[in-house]
Amino acid sequence: MTETTKTHVILLACGSFNPITKGHIQMFERARDYLHKTGRFIVIGGIVSPVHDSYGKQGLVSSRHRLIMCQLAVQNSDWIRVDPWECYQDTWQTTCSVLEHHRDLMKRVTGCILSNVNTPSMTPVIGQPQNENPQPIYQNSNVPTKPTAAKILGKVGESLSRICCVRPPVERFTFVDENANLGTVMRYEEIELRILLLCGSDLLESFCIPGLWNEADMEVIVGDFGIVVVPRDAADTDRIMNHSSILRKYRNNIMVVKDDINHPMSVVSSTKSRLALQHGDGHVVDYLSQPVIDYILKSQLYINASG
């Protein structure tokens, strides 16, 4: 497959990230490596979306702290960004709502038409002529009328970088108004761009718990978007999927990362990292990056059993 015929992917992870661990970042890396090895996908970005404060989970520290810790955890990554939209809403948002927000935002900012994971759009993903004499989004007069795939990806990546970054928590801001400045987008060769939910097998298993998830949301998450699962503790994902009619229905939209790495829950678990902090366990460095540890100590977070 050529670069332009591969599916271009943005990985989105939702969660409390209380705090964000090395394991969370490793999930992104493992998912990207696996998708690239299939030869069908190019991952052009990753988004960390911390949950709203009103989620109500015991010990959940303020989103102000969680956003900063997430930003510190990804500060050396050139493709993973932190997005504060979910935290800045008036109340808790469903995972489905977060996915739909980012899909709509990418449409508006890049001119993308995002299609379902298993039903490619018949229309070029990036761009539709907006008038009879469209102006190129590239202002350099030396740029050819029809941008190359590399330039297309560069523009999408540039947009993603500006969208998905934590800004000082001074006031709320409107992402679209600040970033929808690419001008008229020209129509050119087809590139499929999709947002996929990145999760662990524990979240996949939660889909099988009766009444926990809204079934209509599950249809959208798995059917319209698709998910990438990083198994933990050698979980049997086939068995999990067989326990849910919706997961069975959209089995082809669920991509399970298969590699030689066993992903122990302790590496990802925020709970175990908090316990290590509370007990002064030196193994906390196995769970958390040093900048995150430094921020936690400076802010005196998670110093008691309740948080």
Side-chain angles (χ1 to χ4, degrees):
M1 298 179 71
T2 66
E3 295 298 292
T4 55
T5 57
K6 291 180 181 179
T7 299
H8 296 73
V9 169
I10 295 171
L11 296 170
L12 170 66
C14 299
S16 59
F17 302 109
N18 187 44
I20 189 169
T21 67
K22 290 181 178 179
H24 290 129
I25 305 304
Q26 290 168 8
M27 287 177 64
F28 276 95
E29 301 288 352
R30 288 180 62 194
R32 182 178 68 163
D33 290 347
Y34 175 74
L35 292 177
H36 286 178
K37 286 178 182 177
T38 67
R40 297 163 46 206
F41 304 96
I42 297 177
V43 177
I44 62 172
I47 301 174
V48 176
S49 182
V51 74
H52 192 275
D53 286 341
S54 65
Y55 182 59
K57 189 173 184 178
Q58 184 178 7
L60 187 68
V61 302
S62 165
S63 59
R64 178 174 65 86
H65 291 304
R66 289 183 288 116
L67 285 168
I68 293 173
M69 287 187 286
C70 287
Q71 182 63 18
L72 290 170
V74 305
Q75 63 183 346
N76 294 323
S77 173
D78 60 359
W79 69 281
I80 305 172
R81 297 291 181 266
V82 181
D83 187 277
W85 178 84
E86 189 176 351
C87 292
Y88 283 4
Q89 300 312 293
D90 291 332
T91 187
W92 170 76
Q93 302 293 306
T94 64
T95 300
C96 184
S97 297
V98 178
L99 282 163
E100 290 174 334
H101 160 74
H102 285 286
R103 176 194 61 195
D104 296 342
L105 180 59
M106 290 305 293
K107 283 181 182 179
R108 296 176 66 177
V109 172
T110 67
C112 296
I113 299 172
L114 280 75
S115 56
N116 294 353
V117 67
N118 221 31
T119 54
S121 167
M122 298 306 293
T123 312
V125 170
I126 304 209
Q128 289 294 319
Q130 302 297 314
N131 52 50
E132 293 298 320
N133 299 298
Q135 296 298 314
I137 57 177
Y138 301 95
Q139 302 303 313
N140 188 334
S141 59
N142 295 322
V143 176
T145 302
K146 185 176 182 179
T148 64
K151 289 172 181 172
I152 294 170
L153 291 180
K155 198 63 181 178
V156 172
E158 178 186 334
S159 303
L160 184 64
S161 296
R162 281 183 284 158
I163 298 167
C164 307
C165 58
V166 168
R167 307 181 186 193
V170 176
E171 59 183 10
R172 299 181 183 217
F173 53 89
T174 304
F175 296 96
V176 172
D177 289 346
E178 292 186 1
N179 292 287
N181 58 358
L182 300 185
T184 302
V185 182
M186 294 183 64
R187 177 172 180 161
Y188 37 82
E189 55 194 306
E190 180 173 354
I191 288 183
E192 292 289 342
L193 174 62
R194 300 188 184 114
I195 298 175
L196 301 179
L197 180 66
L198 174 65
C199 67
S201 49
D202 54 331
L203 187 143
L204 185 72
E205 195 159 18
S206 74
F207 283 155
C208 303
I209 301 175
L212 184 61
W213 288 82
N214 179 291
E215 288 201 3
D217 282 2
M218 286 179 61
E219 288 272 351
V220 172
I221 293 169
V222 189
D224 288 354
F225 288 93
I227 60 179
V228 181
V229 182
V230 179
R232 299 178 183 176
D233 298 332
D236 187 344
T237 53
D238 287 332
R239 178 191 60 80
I240 293 171
M241 287 187 277
N242 285 332
H243 277 80
S244 165
S245 59
I246 292 178
L247 296 182
R248 289 197 304 271
K249 178 180 178 181
Y250 297 110
R251 198 184 191 98
N252 289 338
N253 290 4
I254 302 171
M255 285 156 281
V256 179
V257 173
K258 298 176 181 177
D259 55 25
D260 297 327
I261 303 172
N262 182 26
H263 207 200
M265 177 66 78
S266 60
V267 176
V268 181
S269 174
S270 294
T271 301
K272 290 195 175 183
S273 68
R274 293 195 302 271
L275 288 172
L277 286 163
Q278 290 158 12
H279 297 153
D281 186 344
H283 289 294
V284 69
V285 296
D286 296 333
Y287 309 130
L288 307 177
S289 65
Q290 193 60 50
V292 172
I293 294 172
D294 292 343
Y295 180 82
I296 289 171
L297 296 177
K298 179 181 177 181
S299 304
Q300 295 189 315
L301 305 176
Y302 312 118
I303 58 176
N304 56 58
S306 63

